[in-house]
Amino acid sequence: VSLSSPPSIIHSITNPPLLHATMASKIRKSSGSPDEFELQVAQEILNLEMSSNDLKGPLKDLFITAAKEVDCGAGKKAIVLYVPYKLLKSFNKIHQKLIRELEKKFSGRHVLVIAQRTILGSSYKRTTRSAAPRPRSRTLTAVQDAILEDIVYPTEISGKRTRCKVDGKRIVKVYLDSKDQANVEPRTATYAAVYGKLTNKQVSFVFN
């Protein structure tokens, strides 16, 4: 009796752990383990790295830190990928190709890439006993502005105006570059819904 296992059995025994280990390299959480959805997203990113000539090289050293589904209303959902701040520029270089391919995989759900940022409260200097002032890029306002820029990327924001409604609520009107209007306009409802969920701020988008 041969002690060697048939190739099909060898494959079924050895492949899942190897596949899981490789998939896990595409998502690195600061704490806790990836959930089922995050592993699904990581797998799709890995698949693109393995199958796309355009993305194979650029994706090799890239990974996400989290993936979340966001309810945008009217039965629509978006997918938010959080990436390390230091890798954002690398993701931006392949942004359009990566987003296009992922949206095909996820049935047309809009996919957004947002850098993971840390907000430092106004008590930062006192709690850390640091002589250095709080970095402006870490204030709540700065981080929320940066999130907005990430959401609309690669479209540029040309201006913003805050308007107070009759009920006292504020709405921020965001002006986007009109050269991208044809591609971006169908996504603006998603942009507003995701930004609202992440910051609790209401925005509207117009093109100029």
Side-chain angles (χ1 to χ4, degrees), residues 12-44:
S12 65
I13 293 173
T14 60
N15 195 49
L18 177 62
L19 180 63
H20 187 273
T22 311
M23 188 194 337
S25 71
K26 290 295 148 191
I27 178 163
R28 303 180 193 176
K29 298 179 73 71
S30 57
S31 62
S33 301
D35 60 28
E36 186 177 342
F37 178 71
E38 289 175 324
L39 289 174
Q40 182 185 355
V41 173
Q43 180 63 58
E44 293 299 347

Side-chain angles (χ1 to χ4, degrees), residues 117-187:
R117 297 178 175 88
T118 302
I119 298 171
L120 298 178
S122 56
S123 61
Y124 164 77
K125 195 171 179 180
R126 294 193 300 275
T127 56
T128 60
R129 297 183 180 178
S130 170
R134 177 177 51 155
R136 291 192 66 169
S137 62
R138 298 291 188 88
T139 64
L140 176 62
T141 300
V143 169
Q144 290 181 340
D145 286 346
I147 289 173
L148 185 59
E149 290 176 1
D150 289 352
I151 286 174
V152 304
Y153 186 86
T155 302
E156 292 186 2
I157 297 173
S158 56
K160 285 184 284 188
R161 182 177 297 170
T162 302
R163 180 168 58 90
C164 288
K165 299 167 73 174
V166 178
D167 59 6
K169 292 183 179 179
R170 293 186 175 187
I171 182 169
V172 180
K173 184 175 286 189
V174 181
Y175 295 87
L176 302 177
D177 194 327
S178 59
K179 69 180 176 63
D180 297 327
Q181 184 169 355
N183 294 325
V184 173
E185 196 161 27
R187 305 173 71 91

Side-chain angles (χ1 to χ4, degrees), residues 190-202:
T190 299
Y191 293 168
V194 171
Y195 188 71
K197 289 288 178 69
L198 296 181
T199 66
N200 204 30
K201 284 187 173 182
Q202 189 176 356

Side-chain angles (χ1 to χ4, degrees), residues 1-15:
V1 178
S2 173
L3 296 179
S4 60
S5 300
S8 59
I9 296 178
I10 293 174
H11 185 271
S12 65
I13 293 173
T14 60
N15 195 49

Side-chain angles (χ1 to χ4, degrees), residues 51-100:
S51 63
S52 171
N53 291 331
D54 293 335
L55 295 173
K56 177 176 261 185
L59 278 175
K60 182 180 177 183
D61 298 317
L62 299 184
F63 58 89
I64 63 174
T65 57
K68 303 296 179 187
E69 270 193 307
V70 177
D71 189 349
C72 297
K76 295 183 178 180
K77 291 185 177 181
I79 298 172
V80 176
L81 306 183
Y82 290 96
V83 305
Y85 178 76
K86 65 181 181 180
L87 295 182
L88 180 62
K89 287 185 178 180
S90 297
F91 271 99
N92 284 348
K93 289 178 181 177
I94 57 170
H95 185 278
Q96 289 175 297
K97 175 72 173 176
L98 177 63
I99 296 306
R100 184 166 60 249

